[in-house]
Amino acid sequence: MMKGTLLWNLWVAVFGFLFVCTISAKVTTFDTAIYRGTIGFFSFFVLSYVFRSFWSLVTAPNETTENSQDSAQTASSTEMDAEETSKMVRELLNEDS
């Protein structure tokens, strides 16, 4: 599960728009500044989404060790069940003979 909500992405994107638009307005015309700010908005939105998903991946609890232990226990219990079943089948076959 990702940390935070899409509201974080929106706030980061708004910050990106304002930052890029402010820097761009000093150098270019207003129309170009708005255009670059819009590109900044979408870029910051996507980058914050990627960062959040990466951060969730890094900070996620380590479930692989628990799952591997559970699967090892399941495998050993399956082997025990198979041995018990085969023993019961042999006894049944011996009774008929």
Side-chain angles (χ1 to χ4, degrees):
M1 171 83 35
M2 290 178 63
K3 304 284 185 194
T5 61
L6 286 178
L7 192 60
W8 281 98
N9 293 37
L10 185 64
W11 283 112
V12 170
V14 167
F15 169 77
F17 173 81
L18 293 174
F19 179 73
V20 172
C21 193
T22 303
I23 299 299
S24 182
K26 294 179 181 180
V27 181
T28 62
T29 63
F30 181 73
D31 293 340
T32 305
I34 294 296
Y35 177 72
R36 289 180 180 174
T38 304
I39 293 172
F41 177 87
F42 289 114
S43 300
F44 274 75
F45 187 88
V46 170
L47 286 175
S48 65
Y49 187 85
V50 169
F51 177 76
R52 279 185 38 226
S53 62
F54 178 72
W55 187 257
S56 296
L57 182 69
V58 169
T59 60
N62 192 1
E63 297 177 2
T64 56
T65 57
E66 294 174 5
N67 289 342
S68 64
Q69 289 174 354
D70 290 341
S71 63
Q73 289 176 350
T74 304
S76 64
S77 67
T78 304
E79 290 174 8
M80 291 297 289
D81 290 340
E83 289 176 11
E84 290 175 4
T85 304
S86 63
K87 187 176 180 179
M88 287 175 47
V89 168
R90 280 189 212 120
E91 289 176 0
L92 289 173
L93 287 173
N94 288 336
E95 288 178 2
D96 289 338
S97 303

